[in-house]
Structures are given as C-alpha cells and as structure tokens.
Amino acid sequence: MEETNELIQERIKKLQRLKDSGVDPYGVSFDAKDKAREIIDKYGHIAKEEFETKNDNCTIAGRIVAMRDFGKACFAHVQDITGKIQVYLRKDILGEGYGLLKNIDIGDIVGLTGKVFKTKTGELTLEVKDISLLCKSLRPLPEKWHGLKDIETRYRQRYVDLIVNPNVREVFLKRSKAIKSIRNFFDSRGFIEVETPMMQPVPGGATARPFKTHHNALGIDLFLRIAPELYLKRLLVGGYEKVYEINRNFRNEGISTKHNPEFTMLEFYIAYADYQYLMNFTEEIITYVCKDVAGDLRVTYTISEDKEEIIDFTPPWKRLTMAEAMEAYGVDPSVFKDLAGAREFAVKNRIDIDKNASHGKVLDEIFKEKVEPYLIQPTFITDYPLELSPLAKRKKDNPELVERFELFIAGREVVNAFSELNDPEDQKGRFLKQVEARQAGDEEASFMDEDFVRALEYGMPPAAGEGIGIDRLVMILTNSSSIRDVILFPQLKPEA
RNA sequence: GGGCCUGUAGCUCAGUUGGCAGAGCAGCUGACUCUUAAUCAGCGGGUCGAAGGUUCGAAUCCUUCCAGGCUCACCA
C-alpha cells in the first residue's frame, strides 16, 4: 500500500508546485450546472457552422480521462457521472491560467466553463474559458486503451474499476434501479417496508450455516441472520397484512460465482394469500422490474462462454410440479416411490448423496443434478417434499408435499415461496424434527424457535411468503456471469 | 477442501532449449493552436507474487507458501 513509484513521485512534485503557486490542489465546492450527457443531448444534433454565431457556455465538473497536448493548445476528455465530453484548452484564451496545465494529469478532477462548439471532425467540445483544479490525483489510472482487466484489482479496488470501466458503472446503476423499482412496486400495492434484526439469538428461516458473533454487554452469542422470515411472520401475527424487507442475509458457506457470504434478499408476505396467488404475483413483480431496468421482457444472458440464451419473461411462465419436471428431464418416476428407489437412481447416475440423506434430500439432489441446469426460461417448480420445507403449509391432498414453489431462471434458483405454515402444533413438530436432524449431524438443520411457536399460538392469518435473491436477479438483468460483478465490494481474502 | 490455470514496469501483455529483463500505453525532456489510441525526436522506469532448492548460471526446472480465476463439492 505504501508503494511509491516514479509516476506517483512525479505527481507529488506537481502537487507541491501547485501549492507553491498558491493553487489549492483539493479544491472546494463547485457549481457544475451542466452534465456531459445533457450537453451532448442538447447540442449534439446542431450543425457545426451554427456554433460560429452561438455563444453558449456550459459549466461541468469531472475527472480528466484523456489528454492530447499540443504545447499551446490541448484537448482533453472530462468524465462525469453521465459520460464524457471533450474540452479544448488554448493558451491565447486562458492566458496565465494555461500554466495550470503543466501540473495537471489524467485522473485529476477539474471544474470548468467553456463555449460549446464542434471541432473539424464534428465532435461536440467545450472551448474552455475558465478551469479550476478540484482534486489532484496522485496515482496513475490504468491504460487508456486496454483499461483495467485484472479481475482481482477490479474487485479489490472497485473505485478504479468504476472510473475506467463504464459498463461496470452501468451495472451498478441498473442494480440501484432494480431495487428502486421493487420498492415502487411494493409501495404502490399497499405493502409496508420493514427492518427486522440482522443479529438474531436463534438463526432461522432457512437451512444454512450462520455466522456467529458476540455481544459483550449482554454476554450472549448472536447470529447474523440467514433469513428474516421468522420475524416477518411475527409481523403478520401482529396485524400487518403486507410487509416486505430488502436487506442482507449472511451465510457461512462457500464462495463462488453464485455465492457471496452476504447477499441481498427481498422477502415479502401477504396475509390471506397462498402460493398459487404468489406465482401470478411473481410474474408481475419480475416483469415490472425487468421492463424498468432492461427496457424489454427479453434479455440476453450468457450461460457459458459458448452459450448465449435469450430469456423471455413474457408471462405466463411454465409451471411444473417437481415430479413432472423430473419426468420431463428423463428421471425415472420410481424415485418418488421410496428412499430406496431414489437412492438407486442417484447411484446409477453417479449423483453424490450423503448416506444419511432422507428421501426428500435425495430427490432434491437428483433435481439439482438432472433438472435445474436446464431450466433456462423462467420456470416455476411446485410441490416440494415436506421435509425440505419446515416452514411451509402441507398440501391438502398430499400431506407429504407442501404448497411451495421455486422459480428457476438461467438454470438457477432465483425465487423460493410458499404458503406459510400457521399451525403452531405442526410447526413445533417440524422444528423438533429439525433439531433431531441437527443432533444427527446436519449442521444446516434449523434450531427450535420457541418464541416463533408462541407467536403462532396467538394466531397468524393464512399467508403466502416469498424470497427473491436480488443479486441473482440483477445478474440476469445485467448479463453478469459472476455474483461478484453485481456486488460492489465482494468478499475476498485479505490482500497479502 | 479437491482438480486445472494465472501472477513479469503504474496498466495491457511478450519473454524461444536455463544464458545481459522486453514492447505498447502511461511518465519525463523538447517540438507542435482542430486532436481524439494525436504525431515527431530523445530519456527514465523491474523484489519477474514470496521463500527455499537444483545449476557455473533461474522469469524459465523442482518444493512449499500467498493471492486470484475457472471448475467440482456445499449452498441461494
């Protein structure tokens, strides 16, 4: 971090010269009335000749990203949040102010006012009348042509990535837009946005290993939440009928292109609705967000280097039960009969399964291996085995299945939703089952949450609840192949 | 955690059989008032990821370690 090289030394010298000449190299506030993009939009279509009689001035602030020096004149590009615009500095116009240029580098942040015109080659340009340095930059930016490619540097020094890679800026603008769009959607439909604990004494609402932390004053261990579910349902008990939360979940598991230890989840609950209602509702939300962010219901997604797919969000989306989907992708229906049948199929197809795995778990494994990767277009899968869903309501006609669906897009689970179990006795029994599984060594099994059962005993209206993985959704909307490309500061090992 | 790959100048990358460490951009000096990967002349810049080993000699071969990528396992 302390490294200094010749290029930095040069800039420090310039910094000193600026100070010596009475220039504040770290500027003050600057009223940048105009934006690069707006200027280009406003004047771009006007013919070059017309500028000869015009005298329109604009004021912008931004970072110098390119410079072409001619001795007594200089072209540069200045970049602000909206984009880049060329500026033209002339000694005969700037007079003494032109001397500032000697100590200015690519990367410096400047504010300037100039007359709008078009160059010989037709590029809209500001002929600078006044320039002030707002911030001297001490480190050289990556090369102008190849930019910053090194993935590690891009993630570790995201600020540099954002300066030089416009597509990266674009991705995170889209992410912000997607989240705003989701809020609009829910707010306009009578939901209230809530915040529930990130630090929980009993981690629940999902099957995953939690992070543990400690509160000194209370003298207790707490867990970073793996899901907000149990708290949001407590709010249904409390009388709120439509709630949503957009916030971070934390899971103490592997890191991959699809997993970051902290990730953003949207969860929402609707009293008196069920999972069937939610499927339609999900189509509505996602098409709403997709239109807003991508401008179209069809988006291109790069599945792998040599495989690109157009994902079409035009509803209705395909709906299959887990069993139907398995059959459609060539899984022998005998797997549903019993554990032995499922196990046999798994072994035959070289699917790794834990030797203690239950029937439901084995089915889940087979599904993940044989079906999930092929669900490219948005597809709802319904009717999951009870034991995989300790918080979901049983199906009336088959109590071993639950009223649940997951939505798959591009071969990935993006949504998980179900009719919420509101029978306290059943819930308590399911918790106990989970506790048993935990004692038998399943580290992901849930803990008993006594207070949640107590809440259900007061009565929770029948309700439907859903979780949407925001990072994964944004990946699809921005054609990003790694979750790290949609998280500003993804988790990495500390720099050596 | 396993397998495969990568790490060389600020950035993007070459580096042959083990034989003086290279290019482009960026930087510095000079020229240049419509360039846009500006151009022209010249100059400087390296812990070759780290440590150890083999060798007369290592960026290059071997071992270990560090970081990253892809992938598998686990998961969302």
Side-chain angles (χ1 to χ4, degrees):
Chain A
M1 221 64 74
E2 290 290 314
E3 97 271 17
T4 50
N5 60 47
E6 193 197 352
L7 289 90
I8 294 175
Q9 288 309 322
E10 281 299 335
R11 286 170 180 239
I12 290 173
K13 275 191 230 158
K14 289 176 183 174
L15 177 74
Q16 192 53 51
R17 288 203 290 265
L18 286 163
K19 285 179 178 166
D20 291 346
S21 67
V23 174
D24 177 1
Y26 296 108
V28 286
S29 73
F30 185 85
D31 184 16
K33 296 193 299 289
D34 303 297
K35 291 283 171 219
R37 182 80 249 159
E38 291 166 13
I39 297 170
I40 289 164
D41 286 348
K42 187 170 171 195
Y43 295 101
H45 63 280
I46 295 175
K48 195 168 67 154
E49 298 71 30
E50 283 185 50
F51 289 102
E52 284 160 25
T53 54
K54 264 184 178 321
N55 195 13
D56 288 11
N57 287 289
C58 290
T59 301
I60 58 164
R63 193 183 292 273
I64 295 174
V65 291
M67 262 172 119
R68 294 172 293 281
D69 183 15
F70 285 82
K72 296 192 186 65
C74 177
F75 286 94
H77 273 96
V78 174
Q79 171 174 288
D80 65 20
I81 181 63
T82 66
K84 286 190 268 198
I85 189 164
Q86 181 166 263
V87 301
Y88 182 40
L89 303 110
R90 293 171 59 126
K91 194 172 187 181
D92 58 359
I93 293 176
L94 287 165
E96 267 179 39
Y98 196 79
L100 182 68
L101 230 58
K102 264 236 163 303
N103 294 314
I104 282 197
D105 288 294
I106 291 171
D108 291 356
I109 296 170
V110 295
L112 50 84
T113 299
K115 195 185 95 168
V116 185
F117 80 109
K118 268 189 180 171
T119 62
K120 245 200 276 195
T121 51
E123 178 161 354
L124 196 75
T125 303
L126 295 183
E127 189 179 74
V128 177
K129 294 183 165 157
D130 196 43
I131 179 166
S132 47
L133 181 60
L134 301 179
C135 181
K136 181 75 199 152
S137 162
L138 298 181
R139 286 176 184 268
L141 287 175
E143 200 221 1
K144 60 182 167 190
W145 193 240
H146 300 92
L148 178 63
K149 284 188 173 171
D150 185 86
I151 291 177
E152 186 176 351
T153 312
R154 286 189 42 225
Y155 294 153
R156 286 199 196 281
Q157 294 177 253
R158 183 68 90 179
Y159 38 90
V160 180
D161 193 25
L162 288 166
I163 291 169
V164 301
N165 291 325
N167 53 323
V168 174
R169 279 200 302 275
E170 189 58 33
V171 164
F172 290 104
L173 289 176
K174 280 187 176 172
R175 183 184 172 116
S176 164
K177 204 169 180 188
I179 290 171
K180 200 171 289 177
S181 180
I182 290 166
R183 287 210 162 90
N184 281 341
F185 182 92
F186 282 98
D187 293 346
S188 68
R189 280 163 180 77
F191 282 76
I192 61 160
E193 181 173 7
V194 296
E195 291 169 279
T196 61
M198 309 290 268
M199 297 195 286
Q200 305 179 345
V202 181
T207 52
R209 285 187 304 200
F211 286 93
K212 195 175 179 179
T213 185
H214 185 80
H215 191 282
N216 291 336
L218 291 175
I220 54 165
D221 285 339
L222 288 167
F223 299 89
L224 299 189
R225 74 177 190 190
I226 55 175
E229 170 151 357
L230 300 182
Y231 285 91
L232 292 171
K233 287 200 276 201
R234 282 172 170 94
L235 297 178
L236 294 179
V237 171
Y240 292 118
E241 295 178 357
K242 292 173 167 184
V243 294
Y244 77 98
E245 175 165 12
I246 298 173
N247 226 322
R248 225 67 66 80
N249 288 349
F250 306 85
R251 299 195 184 170
N252 205 341
E253 281 154 0
I255 296 178
S256 78
T257 48
K258 297 170 195 67
H259 302 85
N260 196 62
E262 48 181 313
F263 61 101
T264 301
M265 189 79 146
L266 158 69
E267 276 203 20
F268 63 91
Y269 290 81
I270 308 175
Y272 310 115
D274 68 0
Y275 79 122
Q276 291 290 345
Y277 177 90
L278 277 190
M279 280 192 267
N280 297 329
F281 195 75
T282 302
E283 288 176 346
E284 266 188 68
I285 307 164
I286 292 183
T287 54
Y288 180 90
V289 174
C290 183
K291 248 185 229 160
D292 226 12
V293 174
D296 192 9
L297 287 185
R298 291 157 61 84
V299 299
T300 303
Y301 191 73
T302 309
I303 306 276
S304 60
E305 256 179 61
D306 49 358
K307 205 168 148 216
E308 217 169 62
E309 296 273 0
I310 290 176
I311 294 178
D312 189 350
F313 285 101
T314 310
W317 303 337
K318 205 185 279 182
R319 297 179 187 191
L320 296 170
T321 65
M322 193 190 209
E324 286 165 352
M326 296 270 238
E327 206 180 336
Y329 287 92
V331 176
D332 191 324
S334 69
V335 300
F336 286 98
K337 266 215 313 260
D338 53 23
L339 175 60
R343 195 170 276 284
E344 194 186 327
F345 182 89
V347 170
K348 234 183 350 204
N349 287 274
R350 282 194 287 268
I351 297 168
D352 268 354
I353 42 165
D354 193 275
K355 56 183 183 302
N356 299 319
S358 62
H359 190 198
K361 270 240 155 105
V362 177
L363 289 175
D364 195 40
E365 288 303 321
I366 294 172
F367 180 84
K368 279 187 171 151
E369 188 71 27
K370 289 286 172 191
V371 183
E372 186 169 318
Y374 307 103
L375 302 177
I376 305 299
Q377 296 303 322
T379 307
F380 292 110
I381 301 295
T382 61
D383 293 9
Y384 282 77
L386 176 80
E387 50 190 293
L388 296 176
S389 320
L391 302 166
K393 212 185 229 327
R394 293 173 199 263
K395 281 200 77 152
K396 286 216 166 49
D397 54 356
N398 184 349
E400 288 312 300
L401 296 178
V402 290
E403 294 196 354
R404 171 181 175 189
F405 70 81
E406 293 190 333
L407 173 68
F408 294 86
I409 308 169
R412 269 175 226 147
E413 182 192 337
V414 176
V415 173
N416 180 23
F418 38 86
S419 305
E420 302 298 336
L421 176 60
N422 63 343
D423 173 344
E425 202 181 333
D426 192 355
Q427 183 65 76
K428 189 165 190 178
R430 304 236 209 133
F431 273 140
L432 287 170
K433 263 249 159 97
Q434 291 285 311
V435 171
E436 260 174 50
R438 173 163 282 275
Q439 276 160 357
D442 183 351
E443 275 191 80
E444 286 168 2
S446 310
F447 293 88
M448 167 64 72
D449 190 332
E450 301 277 3
D451 176 70
F452 179 67
V453 174
R454 178 168 65 187
L456 290 186
E457 284 167 359
Y458 281 93
M460 182 179 87
E466 174 163 331
I468 301 183
I470 296 302
D471 312 273
R472 288 185 177 180
L473 182 62
V474 173
M475 281 170 72
I476 291 160
L477 297 179
T478 56
N479 194 11
S480 302
S481 58
S482 170
I483 198 167
R484 296 181 200 103
D485 292 328
V486 301
I487 292 174
L488 281 165
F489 300 100
Q491 200 61 50
L492 298 175
K493 285 198 203 178
E495 228 169 322

